[in-house]
């Protein structure tokens, strides 16, 4: 893991996302690229009664889009200079729009995005899902005001799934650097697959000092219990497979991935 991508379109949380990305970059001695995705005005362009485009509206939209890109660039440059990133920081702009974030991200190891917040105009769940499902790479979802450092005490939310197995594989560099790694299994909330202890054993073969923990779900569901255990054990990073139950099902009925994404107060590393 060496290459980190940060989409900069959400200005409200950009500082928090950049801070988390730099924490990750410094830990793995990697590179950080910030990318702003311009929006095609034809996607939201209004028309008059005759069906013709309104040039003035398009011009205002393009000016605002350029203003936001320039502001994102200013903040990124100021951040990179303040932390001394030098040639480890790269800026880029894409004309393809955020819908193509996943395509752009396929050559990076991880995409850092803000954690979505219900009832807020802040980070978009759609942006996060685009990065998660379309890039084929891992994402790091961070809360507003992430910790100054993370990755020393990692909790793996193991449910037996292929999604979580891919997440662990993508995070091996981070796991090797951790001081404490715990593989958590919430009983009754797994799919057919290896036990948490089997995962911990394989990690130990990789030179990672991992232990396993099994807990009862209690009255809640696994997402709630996972965050409860993370807080109790002082975890500073959570590894979790993304959407084992499926994105649509979780959107309609809820599920551990959505619960964690909307409620986690620690960074969440995730792959699908």
């Amino acid at each position: 893991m060496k290459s980190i991508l940060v989409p900069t379109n959400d200005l409200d949380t950009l500082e928090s996302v950049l801070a988390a990305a730099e924490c990750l970059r410094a830990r793995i001695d990697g590179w950080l690229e910030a990318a702003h995705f311009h929006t095609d005005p034809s996607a939201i362009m209004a028309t008059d009664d005759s069906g013709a485009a309104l040039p003035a509206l398009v011009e205002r939209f393009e000016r605002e889009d350029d203003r936001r890109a320039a502001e994102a660039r200013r903040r990124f440059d100021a951040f990179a200079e303040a932390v001394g990133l030098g040639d480890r920081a790269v800026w880029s702009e894409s004309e393809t729009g955020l819908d193509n974030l996943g395509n752009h991200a396929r050559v990076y190891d991880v995409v850092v995005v803000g954690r979505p917040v219900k009832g807020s105009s802040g980070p978009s769940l759609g942006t996060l899902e685009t990065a998660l499902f379309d890039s084929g790479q891992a994402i790091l979802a961070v809360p507003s005001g992430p910790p100054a450092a993370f990755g020393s005490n990692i909790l793996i939310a193991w449910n037996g799934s292929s999604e979580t197995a891919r997440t662990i594989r993508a995070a091996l560099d981070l796991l090797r650097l951790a001081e404490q790694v715990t593989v958590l299994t919430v009983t009754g909330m797994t799919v057919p697959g290896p036990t948490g202890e089997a995962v911990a054993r394989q990690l130990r073969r990789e030179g990672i000092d991992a232990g396993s923990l099994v807990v009862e779900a209690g009255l809640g569901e696994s997402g709630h219990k996972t965050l409860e255990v993370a807080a109790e054990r002082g975890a500073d990073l959570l590894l979790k497979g993304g959407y084992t139950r499926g994105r649509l099902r979780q959107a309609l009925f809820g599920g551990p991935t959505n619960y964690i994404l909307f409620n986690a107060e620690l960074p969440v590393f995730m792959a699908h």
Side-chain angles (χ1 to χ4, degrees):
M1 182 192 299
K2 286 293 183 182
S3 186
I4 301 164
L5 177 67
V6 177
T8 66
N9 290 62
D10 182 12
L11 294 177
D12 290 343
T13 60
L14 183 56
E15 280 74 14
S16 291
V17 173
L18 285 173
E22 167 54 15
C23 176
L24 176 62
R25 186 211 65 78
R27 194 160 182 82
I28 61 174
D29 190 28
W31 285 263
L32 191 159
E33 178 173 328
H36 190 85
F37 294 83
H38 288 275
T39 304
D40 182 355
S42 66
I44 61 171
M45 190 163 42
T47 58
D48 62 18
D49 292 339
S50 68
L54 298 177
L57 181 62
V58 173
E59 184 180 351
R60 286 198 302 272
F61 172 83
E62 290 178 335
R63 282 201 306 267
E64 174 61 16
D65 189 52
D66 289 341
R67 184 198 68 80
R68 291 179 64 82
E71 176 63 13
R73 175 67 186 270
R74 183 191 69 78
R75 293 191 196 182
F76 173 70
D77 287 345
F79 177 84
E81 182 177 359
V83 300
L85 278 172
D87 62 2
R88 292 297 181 106
V90 177
W91 170 267
S92 69
E93 296 184 34
S94 171
E95 301 297 332
T96 57
L98 267 174
D99 287 346
N100 288 296
L101 166 61
N103 300 345
H104 185 89
R106 287 173 189 157
V107 295
Y108 300 85
D109 297 312
V110 59
V111 184
V112 183
V113 296
R115 177 176 71 77
V117 179
K118 284 185 177 179
S120 166
S121 60
S124 165
L125 180 61
T127 299
L128 183 152
E129 290 181 338
T130 296
L132 179 67
F133 285 95
D134 294 347
S135 71
Q137 306 296 346
I139 67 165
L140 180 72
V142 299
S144 177
F150 56 86
S152 62
N153 184 353
I154 300 177
L155 183 71
I156 301 172
W158 176 251
N159 64 354
S161 70
S162 58
E163 291 84 1
T164 310
R166 281 191 287 272
T167 302
I168 293 170
R169 182 57 52 181
L172 278 177
D173 288 347
L174 289 173
L175 291 165
R176 291 190 180 103
L177 293 169
E179 298 172 9
Q180 181 176 347
V181 175
T182 306
V183 182
L184 171 68
T185 303
V186 180
T187 59
M189 301 293 177
T190 61
V191 299
T195 65
E197 177 52 35
V199 174
R201 182 176 64 248
Q202 293 297 332
L203 290 175
R204 290 193 291 270
R205 290 174 177 171
E206 295 271 0
I208 298 163
D209 185 15
S212 63
L213 175 67
V214 179
V215 300
E216 300 286 339
L219 297 177
E221 56 107 75
S222 62
H224 179 274
K225 191 64 178 179
T226 296
L227 294 183
E228 184 180 279
V229 173
E232 290 172 353
R233 299 181 71 86
D236 57 21
L237 179 63
L238 176 64
L239 266 58
K240 188 195 179 309
Y243 294 102
T244 299
R245 296 184 184 178
R247 179 168 35 170
L248 178 59
R249 179 179 174 185
Q250 294 211 40
L252 293 174
F253 305 111
T257 300
N258 273 358
Y259 184 90
I260 287 171
L261 285 175
F262 282 109
N263 292 281
E265 295 301 328
L266 74 168
V268 181
F269 189 94
M270 183 179 294
H272 178 71

